[in-house]
Amino acid sequence: MRHSIRRQFALIFIGLMAGTIFLCWFMNIMFLEQFYIRSKTEIIFEAYQSIRQAANSDTYSTEEFRQELNEVCGVYNITIYVMDVYSNVKYASANGGSELERKLMSYLFGFFPDVIKVIREGEGYQIQKVLTGDNEYLEMFGRLSSGISFIMRTPVESIRESVKVANHFLAYIGVAATLTGGIIIWLVSRKITKPILELNYISEKMVHLDFEAKYKGAAHNEIDLLGENINKLSLSLEKSISELKTANNELQTDIKKKEQIDEMRKEFLANVSHELKTPIALIQGYAEGLSEGINDDPESRNFYCEVIMDEAGKMNNMVQKLLTLNQLEFGNDVVAMERFDITELVRNYVQSAAILTKQNAIEVYMEEYPPVFVWGDPDKVQEVFTNYFSNAVNHCSGKKIIVITLEQKEAQVRIGVFNTGETIPQEALPRLWEKFYKVDKARTREYGGSGVGLSIVKAIMDSMNRQYGVENYNNGVLFWFELEKV
């Protein structure tokens, strides 16, 4: 990432470190030589102090004095020559001190053959830079009040060599330190920016409404405090969005329910108007016939009255079913779940319907099933079975056989009602459960069906959250429903 905080953090610190090292290297180049020269000047001056102290105390002939000067010459690369008032050598360093005798004599007599630059002057001494041929030296000479003369010299080139070596060494160390420090800073910045990247990941998840990711830092610093606050914000947002979604879902449900109610109301009015139109017309027609006395014989009057009563009964039956369906669909009819024997319920109904099946010359088959206890509303379950059995009786044809089955599964019992006869067209199967839908309207009218029975089945089974359905066979149709087995 081009603008990542980790990269910026590392580059800033690497840049600061490299800049600091470069500044040190630059300062060495510019000022280290002068610093060395000042240091050498101070060292030479200290050696001068030792010579003067030895001259004042008349100890320059002792071994301690020689040993002290030898140490100075060896450590600081200084050449020293000392003579008394009679020009006798009192000390000449082993690294060429005797060669300075001629130069000291020329200086004492005021003869300066070389190019010089005076650095410091004092009572009885002078410190100067001397250019002799291609060589440059830092020198100090003078004569003390006791008559002792001295000269000290150190090559400037050795100072320059030391500065050059020091600068090269610092450059190498600087490069190595920059590379090593860069790697360390990169690793440290990675550790520091890791929780920030984790927070960025969490915030990105929150943008997409994913609140599962949580900050898990344990450094107990400001970033962890920010992470804890983001976790709290995540929980708060998740709760708020959940509440909003719940409210929105309820609103959508209410809207859909209202639309469904409006649609059902329109459909109900249209279907009821259509279903009631025929029986009302028949009742009106036959009532007018009776009123006008079209047929005066008792048999005709009885026939007219039977038609009127039959149509009125059909209308009353349809209205009762519509009221039942209305209560089921709008949740006004409470489902009372009970434990009961479905085998006994089915067998009792089949026995009570024996007269109806004999009148229609229908044979009913049901095996001797053992008691099977299920959970459900017994009254509503009986209404479902009654609708299935009534449909089977009204549509039974061919061999005119009805078969009742109880199929036990792991946790359910499937009750089936099969009747021989014509199968239901495939395109009509999904619509069987709609109110007032009739596959064969003429036949339904013939046996007084209203097209509401299977809608009641659907509403009852939905209220108990159980499955139901219909299947075509080669020789008939099977309607089934399932109940939870105890």
Side-chain angles (χ1 to χ4, degrees):
M1 192 173 180
R2 185 177 178 184
H3 301 291
S4 69
I5 188 172
R6 174 186 173 187
R7 182 174 180 179
Q8 293 177 2
F9 180 82
L11 289 177
I12 288 172
F13 279 91
I14 292 173
L16 287 173
M17 183 176 63
T20 302
I21 294 173
F22 176 78
L23 181 62
C24 292
W25 179 75
F26 178 77
M27 295 291 288
N28 271 0
I29 291 177
M30 296 299 296
F31 304 110
L32 185 58
E33 181 178 341
Q34 297 178 19
F35 177 77
Y36 270 15
I37 289 174
R38 283 197 298 271
S39 297
K40 284 284 188 178
T41 302
E42 293 301 325
I43 292 169
I44 290 173
F45 190 76
E46 288 178 7
Y48 159 72
Q49 294 285 12
S50 298
I51 294 171
R52 189 177 68 171
Q53 183 178 0
N56 292 335
S57 60
D58 198 20
T59 58
Y60 53 80
S61 297
T62 63
E63 187 61 29
E64 290 79 8
F65 174 71
R66 291 177 177 277
Q67 196 169 9
E68 183 179 354
L69 291 185
N70 283 337
E71 187 176 347
V72 171
C73 295
V75 173
Y76 299 107
N77 192 24
I78 298 175
T79 306
I80 301 176
Y81 181 80
V82 181
M83 66 180 181
D84 60 11
V85 68
Y86 303 108
S87 300
N88 295 322
V89 178
K90 292 299 180 185
Y91 177 80
S93 58
N95 56 348
S98 59
E99 298 177 4
L100 297 178
E101 180 182 2
R102 180 181 54 81
K103 182 163 282 195
L104 176 60
M105 295 298 295
S106 64
Y107 287 164
L108 292 177
F109 287 103
F111 180 66
F112 298 93
D114 301 315
V115 179
I116 66 171
K117 179 183 177 182
V118 178
I119 296 175
R120 185 192 300 179
E121 282 185 293
E123 186 178 352
Y125 73 89
Q126 178 174 306
I127 301 175
Q128 60 190 14
K129 261 187 181 183
V130 180
L131 180 63
T132 303
D134 295 332
N135 299 318
E136 189 174 7
Y137 299 95
L138 180 65
E139 291 181 347
M140 181 179 184
F141 73 93
R143 173 173 286 182
L144 303 177
S145 57
S146 60
I148 294 295
S149 301
F150 66 91
I151 184 170
M152 292 179 280
R153 184 173 72 177
T154 183
V156 175
E157 186 63 28
S158 65
I159 296 175
R160 292 200 179 108
E161 285 294 330
S162 298
V163 171
K164 186 176 180 181
V165 170
N167 285 332
H168 284 171
F169 180 75
L170 184 60
Y172 296 144
I173 291 296
V175 172
T178 301
L179 293 176
T180 305
I183 295 172
I184 295 173
I185 289 171
W186 182 259
L187 296 175
V188 171
S189 65
R190 179 181 180 182
K191 184 177 181 180
I192 293 175
T193 57
K194 184 179 179 180
I196 299 177
L197 294 175
E198 184 180 351
L199 291 175
N200 176 68
Y201 169 77
I202 294 172
S203 63
E204 187 176 352
K205 287 285 187 181
M206 291 172 62
V207 168
H208 296 91
L209 303 182
D210 182 356
F211 302 102
E212 290 298 321
K214 294 292 186 293
Y215 180 76
K216 300 178 181 178
H220 306 293
N221 54 23
E222 290 83 353
I223 295 178
D224 283 352
L225 182 61
L226 175 61
E228 291 176 4
N229 289 332
I230 286 182
N231 287 343
K232 293 178 182 178
L233 176 61
S234 175
L235 291 173
S236 178
L237 284 175
E238 184 177 10
K239 182 179 179 182
S240 299
I241 291 174
S242 177
E243 291 174 352
L244 287 173
K245 283 186 175 293
T246 301
N248 181 66
N249 184 64
E250 291 177 356
L251 179 61
Q252 293 293 331
T253 303
D254 290 342
I255 292 173
K256 288 181 180 179
K257 190 173 182 180
K258 183 179 181 300
E259 293 175 351
Q260 184 180 11
I261 291 172
D262 291 341
E263 190 66 29
M264 289 172 62
R265 184 181 294 113
K266 294 176 184 177
E267 181 184 354
F268 178 79
L269 290 173
N271 288 327
V272 167
S273 299
H274 176 75
E275 292 296 328
L276 293 179
K277 181 170 62 176
T278 300
I280 289 174
L282 287 172
I283 291 173
Q284 183 179 9
Y286 280 93
E288 287 176 354
L290 286 173
S291 175
E292 293 174 0
I294 294 177
N295 294 309
D296 293 334
D297 58 290
E299 185 177 349
S300 297
R301 285 197 304 271
N302 290 336
F303 174 74
Y304 276 42
C305 290
E306 287 177 359
V307 170
I308 291 172
M309 288 188 295
D310 183 56
E311 294 299 328
K314 290 178 180 178
M315 290 172 59
N316 180 63
N317 182 50
M318 183 180 68
V319 169
Q320 291 298 327
K321 287 189 174 182
L322 287 174
L323 290 174
T324 301
L325 181 61
N326 183 70
Q327 289 180 334
L328 288 169
E329 288 183 334
F330 288 94
N332 297 327
D333 192 7
V334 179
V335 177
M337 301 296 285
E338 297 179 15
R339 175 180 177 273
F340 65 96
D341 184 0
I342 186 63
T343 305
E344 183 182 4
L345 184 147
V346 171
R347 185 178 290 112
N348 289 341
Y349 180 82
V350 171
Q351 289 175 355
S352 64
I355 297 175
L356 178 63
T357 53
K358 286 181 179 180
Q359 288 176 351
N360 290 274
I362 298 173
E363 295 184 16
V364 180
Y365 293 97
M366 178 179 175
E367 294 182 12
E368 288 297 325
Y369 293 105
V372 179
F373 288 90
V374 295
W375 286 108
D377 188 319
D379 295 335
K380 289 181 172 54
V381 171
Q382 182 164 348
E383 190 165 357
V384 170
F385 186 79
T386 300
N387 274 286
Y388 279 179
F389 196 84
S390 299
N391 276 346
V393 171
N394 293 325
H395 291 86
C396 195
S397 61
K399 293 183 178 181
K400 287 196 172 184
I401 295 174
I402 294 177
V403 180
I404 311 300
T405 57
L406 272 72
E407 180 184 354
Q408 296 191 51
K409 299 183 180 180
E410 291 183 1
Q412 290 89 26
V413 177
R414 175 173 289 195
I415 299 92
V417 179
F418 172 81
N419 67 273
T420 57
E422 296 181 4
T423 58
I424 300 171
Q426 197 67 27
E427 65 275 6
L429 289 176
R431 300 194 60 191
L432 287 177
W433 316 101
E434 297 178 7
K435 288 188 292 290
F436 303 110
Y437 180 77
K438 302 169 185 175
V439 178
D440 187 346
K441 294 183 179 180
R443 185 169 181 179
T444 304
R445 175 69 188 167
E446 181 182 340
Y447 65 79
S450 61
V452 181
L454 292 180
S455 300
I456 293 176
V457 170
K458 178 181 183 300
I460 290 174
M461 298 310 298
D462 287 343
S463 69
M464 293 191 297
N465 296 313
R466 297 288 105 191
Q467 299 296 317
Y468 58 94
V470 58
E471 298 175 10
N472 278 325
Y473 286 83
N474 293 332
N475 58 338
V477 179
L478 171 69
F479 281 88
W480 59 267
F481 65 95
E482 291 182 350
L483 295 174
E484 182 183 358
K485 186 170 65 173
V486 177

PDB file of all heavy atoms in Angstrom, residues 302-327:
ATOM      1  N   ASN A 302     -94.330 -29.238  -3.461  1.00  0.00           N
ATOM      2  CA  ASN A 302     -93.294 -29.877  -2.636  1.00  0.00           C
ATOM      3  C   ASN A 302     -91.922 -29.851  -3.319  1.00  0.00           C
ATOM      4  O   ASN A 302     -90.886 -29.641  -2.682  1.00  0.00           O
ATOM      5  CB  ASN A 302     -93.689 -31.317  -2.312  1.00  0.00           C
ATOM      6  CG  ASN A 302     -94.850 -31.387  -1.348  1.00  0.00           C
ATOM      7  OD1 ASN A 302     -95.091 -30.447  -0.587  1.00  0.00           O
ATOM      8  ND2 ASN A 302     -95.597 -32.499  -1.385  1.00  0.00           N
ATOM      9  N   PHE A 303     -91.911 -30.089  -4.630  1.00  0.00           N
ATOM     10  CA  PHE A 303     -90.650 -30.056  -5.384  1.00  0.00           C
ATOM     11  C   PHE A 303     -90.024 -28.657  -5.330  1.00  0.00           C
ATOM     12  O   PHE A 303     -88.815 -28.507  -5.086  1.00  0.00           O
ATOM     13  CB  PHE A 303     -90.888 -30.471  -6.838  1.00  0.00           C
ATOM     14  CG  PHE A 303     -89.675 -30.318  -7.705  1.00  0.00           C
ATOM     15  CD1 PHE A 303     -88.602 -31.211  -7.612  1.00  0.00           C
ATOM     16  CD2 PHE A 303     -89.560 -29.247  -8.601  1.00  0.00           C
ATOM     17  CE1 PHE A 303     -87.484 -31.067  -8.398  1.00  0.00           C
ATOM     18  CE2 PHE A 303     -88.442 -29.100  -9.383  1.00  0.00           C
ATOM     19  CZ  PHE A 303     -87.401 -30.013  -9.295  1.00  0.00           C
ATOM     20  N   TYR A 304     -90.890 -27.602  -5.547  1.00  0.00           N
ATOM     21  CA  TYR A 304     -90.389 -26.228  -5.502  1.00  0.00           C
ATOM     22  C   TYR A 304     -89.811 -25.901  -4.116  1.00  0.00           C
ATOM     23  O   TYR A 304     -88.746 -25.296  -3.985  1.00  0.00           O
ATOM     24  CB  TYR A 304     -91.521 -25.249  -5.837  1.00  0.00           C
ATOM     25  CG  TYR A 304     -91.739 -25.045  -7.327  1.00  0.00           C
ATOM     26  CD1 TYR A 304     -91.691 -26.141  -8.197  1.00  0.00           C
ATOM     27  CD2 TYR A 304     -92.007 -23.784  -7.841  1.00  0.00           C
ATOM     28  CE1 TYR A 304     -91.901 -25.965  -9.548  1.00  0.00           C
ATOM     29  CE2 TYR A 304     -92.213 -23.590  -9.200  1.00  0.00           C
ATOM     30  CZ  TYR A 304     -92.160 -24.687 -10.055  1.00  0.00           C
ATOM     31  OH  TYR A 304     -92.363 -24.512 -11.390  1.00  0.00           O
ATOM     32  N   CYS A 305     -90.517 -26.356  -3.096  1.00  0.00           N
ATOM     33  CA  CYS A 305     -90.049 -26.094  -1.728  1.00  0.00           C
ATOM     34  C   CYS A 305     -88.751 -26.822  -1.423  1.00  0.00           C
ATOM     35  O   CYS A 305     -87.844 -26.287  -0.764  1.00  0.00           O
ATOM     36  CB  CYS A 305     -91.138 -26.518  -0.729  1.00  0.00           C
ATOM     37  SG  CYS A 305     -92.589 -25.460  -0.744  1.00  0.00           S
ATOM     38  N   GLU A 306     -88.630 -28.061  -1.910  1.00  0.00           N
ATOM     39  CA  GLU A 306     -87.385 -28.821  -1.688  1.00  0.00           C
ATOM     40  C   GLU A 306     -86.199 -28.144  -2.366  1.00  0.00           C
ATOM     41  O   GLU A 306     -85.088 -28.091  -1.816  1.00  0.00           O
ATOM     42  CB  GLU A 306     -87.554 -30.249  -2.208  1.00  0.00           C
ATOM     43  CG  GLU A 306     -88.452 -31.114  -1.340  1.00  0.00           C
ATOM     44  CD  GLU A 306     -88.643 -32.491  -1.935  1.00  0.00           C
ATOM     45  OE1 GLU A 306     -88.082 -32.745  -3.023  1.00  0.00           O
ATOM     46  OE2 GLU A 306     -89.344 -33.309  -1.311  1.00  0.00           O
ATOM     47  N   VAL A 307     -86.407 -27.631  -3.579  1.00  0.00           N
ATOM     48  CA  VAL A 307     -85.317 -26.924  -4.283  1.00  0.00           C
ATOM     49  C   VAL A 307     -84.901 -25.697  -3.491  1.00  0.00           C
ATOM     50  O   VAL A 307     -83.705 -25.424  -3.310  1.00  0.00           O
ATOM     51  CB  VAL A 307     -85.755 -26.542  -5.706  1.00  0.00           C
ATOM     52  CG1 VAL A 307     -84.718 -25.610  -6.338  1.00  0.00           C
ATOM     53  CG2 VAL A 307     -85.945 -27.771  -6.560  1.00  0.00           C
ATOM     54  N   ILE A 308     -85.902 -24.932  -3.029  1.00  0.00           N
ATOM     55  CA  ILE A 308     -85.584 -23.719  -2.273  1.00  0.00           C
ATOM     56  C   ILE A 308     -84.821 -24.071  -1.002  1.00  0.00           C
ATOM     57  O   ILE A 308     -83.802 -23.449  -0.661  1.00  0.00           O
ATOM     58  CB  ILE A 308     -86.885 -22.958  -1.938  1.00  0.00           C
ATOM     59  CG1 ILE A 308     -87.494 -22.369  -3.224  1.00  0.00           C
ATOM     60  CG2 ILE A 308     -86.605 -21.832  -0.937  1.00  0.00           C
ATOM     61  CD1 ILE A 308     -88.868 -21.762  -3.031  1.00  0.00           C
ATOM     62  N   MET A 309     -85.267 -25.101  -0.263  1.00  0.00           N
ATOM     63  CA  MET A 309     -84.597 -25.498   0.974  1.00  0.00           C
ATOM     64  C   MET A 309     -83.195 -26.040   0.703  1.00  0.00           C
ATOM     65  O   MET A 309     -82.243 -25.777   1.454  1.00  0.00           O
ATOM     66  CB  MET A 309     -85.438 -26.552   1.709  1.00  0.00           C
ATOM     67  CG  MET A 309     -86.705 -25.986   2.345  1.00  0.00           C
ATOM     68  SD  MET A 309     -87.579 -27.193   3.394  1.00  0.00           S
ATOM     69  CE  MET A 309     -88.063 -28.408   2.157  1.00  0.00           C
ATOM     70  N   ASP A 310     -83.056 -26.798  -0.400  1.00  0.00           N
ATOM     71  CA  ASP A 310     -81.746 -27.355  -0.751  1.00  0.00           C
ATOM     72  C   ASP A 310     -80.746 -26.254  -1.065  1.00  0.00           C
ATOM     73  O   ASP A 310     -79.599 -26.268  -0.582  1.00  0.00           O
ATOM     74  CB  ASP A 310     -81.901 -28.304  -1.942  1.00  0.00           C
ATOM     75  CG  ASP A 310     -80.571 -28.966  -2.286  1.00  0.00           C
ATOM     76  OD1 ASP A 310     -79.985 -29.609  -1.386  1.00  0.00           O
ATOM     77  OD2 ASP A 310     -80.109 -28.813  -3.436  1.00  0.00           O
ATOM     78  N   GLU A 311     -81.167 -25.261  -1.863  1.00  0.00           N
ATOM     79  CA  GLU A 311     -80.276 -24.151  -2.219  1.00  0.00           C
ATOM     80  C   GLU A 311     -79.962 -23.295  -0.991  1.00  0.00           C
ATOM     81  O   GLU A 311     -78.830 -22.822  -0.822  1.00  0.00           O
ATOM     82  CB  GLU A 311     -80.914 -23.291  -3.313  1.00  0.00           C
ATOM     83  CG  GLU A 311     -81.075 -24.002  -4.654  1.00  0.00           C
ATOM     84  CD  GLU A 311     -79.737 -24.443  -5.226  1.00  0.00           C
ATOM     85  OE1 GLU A 311     -78.712 -23.754  -5.002  1.00  0.00           O
ATOM     86  OE2 GLU A 311     -79.690 -25.507  -5.874  1.00  0.00           O
ATOM     87  N   ALA A 312     -80.984 -23.100  -0.133  1.00  0.00           N
ATOM     88  CA  ALA A 312     -80.737 -22.337   1.090  1.00  0.00           C
ATOM     89  C   ALA A 312     -79.756 -23.072   1.995  1.00  0.00           C
ATOM     90  O   ALA A 312     -78.880 -22.470   2.637  1.00  0.00           O
ATOM     91  CB  ALA A 312     -82.057 -22.091   1.818  1.00  0.00           C
ATOM     92  N   GLY A 313     -79.872 -24.421   2.044  1.00  0.00           N
ATOM     93  CA  GLY A 313     -78.932 -25.217   2.835  1.00  0.00           C
ATOM     94  C   GLY A 313     -77.513 -25.113   2.310  1.00  0.00           C
ATOM     95  O   GLY A 313     -76.549 -25.019   3.080  1.00  0.00           O
ATOM     96  N   LYS A 314     -77.372 -25.141   0.969  1.00  0.00           N
ATOM     97  CA  LYS A 314     -76.043 -24.992   0.369  1.00  0.00           C
ATOM     98  C   LYS A 314     -75.438 -23.634   0.709  1.00  0.00           C
ATOM     99  O   LYS A 314     -74.242 -23.519   1.025  1.00  0.00           O
ATOM    100  CB  LYS A 314     -76.124 -25.164  -1.144  1.00  0.00           C
ATOM    101  CG  LYS A 314     -76.428 -26.587  -1.587  1.00  0.00           C
ATOM    102  CD  LYS A 314     -76.534 -26.654  -3.098  1.00  0.00           C
ATOM    103  CE  LYS A 314     -76.842 -28.081  -3.576  1.00  0.00           C
ATOM    104  NZ  LYS A 314     -76.991 -28.168  -5.039  1.00  0.00           N
ATOM    105  N   MET A 315     -76.301 -22.596   0.636  1.00  0.00           N
ATOM    106  CA  MET A 315     -75.817 -21.257   0.972  1.00  0.00           C
ATOM    107  C   MET A 315     -75.393 -21.190   2.440  1.00  0.00           C
ATOM    108  O   MET A 315     -74.345 -20.617   2.774  1.00  0.00           O
ATOM    109  CB  MET A 315     -76.915 -20.217   0.707  1.00  0.00           C
ATOM    110  CG  MET A 315     -77.209 -19.989  -0.781  1.00  0.00           C
ATOM    111  SD  MET A 315     -78.650 -18.939  -1.060  1.00  0.00           S
ATOM    112  CE  MET A 315     -78.151 -17.465  -0.211  1.00  0.00           C
ATOM    113  N   ASN A 316     -76.183 -21.782   3.321  1.00  0.00           N
ATOM    114  CA  ASN A 316     -75.844 -21.776   4.746  1.00  0.00           C
ATOM    115  C   ASN A 316     -74.540 -22.550   5.003  1.00  0.00           C
ATOM    116  O   ASN A 316     -73.690 -22.112   5.784  1.00  0.00           O
ATOM    117  CB  ASN A 316     -77.000 -22.393   5.537  1.00  0.00           C
ATOM    118  CG  ASN A 316     -76.705 -22.405   7.029  1.00  0.00           C
ATOM    119  OD1 ASN A 316     -76.559 -21.360   7.647  1.00  0.00           O
ATOM    120  ND2 ASN A 316     -76.619 -23.600   7.594  1.00  0.00           N
ATOM    121  N   ASN A 317     -74.373 -23.692   4.320  1.00  0.00           N
ATOM    122  CA  ASN A 317     -73.148 -24.492   4.468  1.00  0.00           C
ATOM    123  C   ASN A 317     -71.925 -23.711   4.008  1.00  0.00           C
ATOM    124  O   ASN A 317     -70.872 -23.720   4.658  1.00  0.00           O
ATOM    125  CB  ASN A 317     -73.296 -25.789   3.681  1.00  0.00           C
ATOM    126  CG  ASN A 317     -72.070 -26.683   3.841  1.00  0.00           C
ATOM    127  OD1 ASN A 317     -71.621 -26.938   4.950  1.00  0.00           O
ATOM    128  ND2 ASN A 317     -71.543 -27.152   2.727  1.00  0.00           N
ATOM    129  N   MET A 318     -72.059 -23.002   2.873  1.00  0.00           N
ATOM    130  CA  MET A 318     -70.944 -22.230   2.351  1.00  0.00           C
ATOM    131  C   MET A 318     -70.588 -21.077   3.286  1.00  0.00           C
ATOM    132  O   MET A 318     -69.414 -20.797   3.544  1.00  0.00           O
ATOM    133  CB  MET A 318     -71.290 -21.688   0.964  1.00  0.00           C
ATOM    134  CG  MET A 318     -70.127 -20.926   0.309  1.00  0.00           C
ATOM    135  SD  MET A 318     -70.533 -20.309  -1.312  1.00  0.00           S
ATOM    136  CE  MET A 318     -71.732 -19.061  -0.901  1.00  0.00           C
ATOM    137  N   VAL A 319     -71.625 -20.410   3.816  1.00  0.00           N
ATOM    138  CA  VAL A 319     -71.375 -19.297   4.733  1.00  0.00           C
ATOM    139  C   VAL A 319     -70.664 -19.796   5.989  1.00  0.00           C
ATOM    140  O   VAL A 319     -69.721 -19.171   6.491  1.00  0.00           O
ATOM    141  CB  VAL A 319     -72.695 -18.584   5.082  1.00  0.00           C
ATOM    142  CG1 VAL A 319     -72.465 -17.603   6.245  1.00  0.00           C
ATOM    143  CG2 VAL A 319     -73.242 -17.860   3.876  1.00  0.00           C
ATOM    144  N   GLN A 320     -71.086 -20.954   6.522  1.00  0.00           N
ATOM    145  CA  GLN A 320     -70.447 -21.507   7.705  1.00  0.00           C
ATOM    146  C   GLN A 320     -68.974 -21.838   7.437  1.00  0.00           C
ATOM    147  O   GLN A 320     -68.091 -21.567   8.259  1.00  0.00           O
ATOM    148  CB  GLN A 320     -71.192 -22.780   8.152  1.00  0.00           C
ATOM    149  CG  GLN A 320     -72.585 -22.529   8.714  1.00  0.00           C
ATOM    150  CD  GLN A 320     -72.549 -21.676   9.973  1.00  0.00           C
ATOM    151  OE1 GLN A 320     -71.615 -21.754  10.769  1.00  0.00           O
ATOM    152  NE2 GLN A 320     -73.578 -20.835  10.125  1.00  0.00           N
ATOM    153  N   LYS A 321     -68.724 -22.422   6.268  1.00  0.00           N
ATOM    154  CA  LYS A 321     -67.327 -22.750   5.916  1.00  0.00           C
ATOM    155  C   LYS A 321     -66.491 -21.490   5.739  1.00  0.00           C
ATOM    156  O   LYS A 321     -65.325 -21.434   6.132  1.00  0.00           O
ATOM    157  CB  LYS A 321     -67.296 -23.590   4.644  1.00  0.00           C
ATOM    158  CG  LYS A 321     -67.770 -25.029   4.863  1.00  0.00           C
ATOM    159  CD  LYS A 321     -67.518 -25.873   3.637  1.00  0.00           C
ATOM    160  CE  LYS A 321     -67.858 -27.339   3.914  1.00  0.00           C
ATOM    161  NZ  LYS A 321     -67.586 -28.212   2.770  1.00  0.00           N
ATOM    162  N   LEU A 322     -67.086 -20.458   5.139  1.00  0.00           N
ATOM    163  CA  LEU A 322     -66.357 -19.200   4.966  1.00  0.00           C
ATOM    164  C   LEU A 322     -66.039 -18.558   6.303  1.00  0.00           C
ATOM    165  O   LEU A 322     -64.942 -17.993   6.494  1.00  0.00           O
ATOM    166  CB  LEU A 322     -67.178 -18.234   4.097  1.00  0.00           C
ATOM    167  CG  LEU A 322     -67.255 -18.580   2.612  1.00  0.00           C
ATOM    168  CD1 LEU A 322     -68.210 -17.636   1.893  1.00  0.00           C
ATOM    169  CD2 LEU A 322     -65.870 -18.509   1.967  1.00  0.00           C
ATOM    170  N   LEU A 323     -66.954 -18.626   7.236  1.00  0.00           N
ATOM    171  CA  LEU A 323     -66.686 -18.086   8.567  1.00  0.00           C
ATOM    172  C   LEU A 323     -65.558 -18.858   9.254  1.00  0.00           C
ATOM    173  O   LEU A 323     -64.679 -18.271   9.898  1.00  0.00           O
ATOM    174  CB  LEU A 323     -67.966 -18.154   9.421  1.00  0.00           C
ATOM    175  CG  LEU A 323     -69.087 -17.180   9.014  1.00  0.00           C
ATOM    176  CD1 LEU A 323     -70.346 -17.453   9.822  1.00  0.00           C
ATOM    177  CD2 LEU A 323     -68.641 -15.738   9.201  1.00  0.00           C
ATOM    178  N   THR A 324     -65.598 -20.181   9.121  1.00  0.00           N
ATOM    179  CA  THR A 324     -64.524 -21.012   9.694  1.00  0.00           C
ATOM    180  C   THR A 324     -63.182 -20.659   9.081  1.00  0.00           C
ATOM    181  O   THR A 324     -62.162 -20.503   9.785  1.00  0.00           O
ATOM    182  CB  THR A 324     -64.832 -22.498   9.467  1.00  0.00           C
ATOM    183  OG1 THR A 324     -66.084 -22.819  10.078  1.00  0.00           O
ATOM    184  CG2 THR A 324     -63.730 -23.373  10.058  1.00  0.00           C
ATOM    185  N   LEU A 325     -63.170 -20.562   7.725  1.00  0.00           N
ATOM    186  CA  LEU A 325     -61.933 -20.233   7.024  1.00  0.00           C
ATOM    187  C   LEU A 325     -61.423 -18.854   7.423  1.00  0.00           C
ATOM    188  O   LEU A 325     -60.216 -18.644   7.611  1.00  0.00           O
ATOM    189  CB  LEU A 325     -62.172 -20.303   5.514  1.00  0.00           C
ATOM    190  CG  LEU A 325     -60.964 -19.999   4.622  1.00  0.00           C
ATOM    191  CD1 LEU A 325     -59.839 -20.996   4.892  1.00  0.00           C
ATOM    192  CD2 LEU A 325     -61.362 -20.039   3.150  1.00  0.00           C
ATOM    193  N   ASN A 326     -62.336 -17.908   7.566  1.00  0.00           N
ATOM    194  CA  ASN A 326     -61.954 -16.544   7.950  1.00  0.00           C
ATOM    195  C   ASN A 326     -61.292 -16.540   9.324  1.00  0.00           C
ATOM    196  O   ASN A 326     -60.264 -15.885   9.536  1.00  0.00           O
ATOM    197  CB  ASN A 326     -63.191 -15.646   7.938  1.00  0.00           C
ATOM    198  CG  ASN A 326     -62.840 -14.210   8.254  1.00  0.00           C
ATOM    199  OD1 ASN A 326     -62.208 -13.519   7.464  1.00  0.00           O
ATOM    200  ND2 ASN A 326     -63.238 -13.742   9.428  1.00  0.00           N
ATOM    201  N   GLN A 327     -61.855 -17.281  10.283  1.00  0.00           N
ATOM    202  CA  GLN A 327     -61.260 -17.349  11.617  1.00  0.00           C
ATOM    203  C   GLN A 327     -59.878 -17.994  11.589  1.00  0.00           C
ATOM    204  O   GLN A 327     -58.953 -17.556  12.280  1.00  0.00           O
ATOM    205  CB  GLN A 327     -62.175 -18.145  12.551  1.00  0.00           C
ATOM    206  CG  GLN A 327     -63.461 -17.412  12.914  1.00  0.00           C
ATOM    207  CD  GLN A 327     -64.323 -18.232  13.840  1.00  0.00           C
ATOM    208  OE1 GLN A 327     -64.248 -19.461  13.844  1.00  0.00           O
ATOM    209  NE2 GLN A 327     -65.158 -17.568  14.620  1.00  0.00           N
TER     210      GLN A 327
END
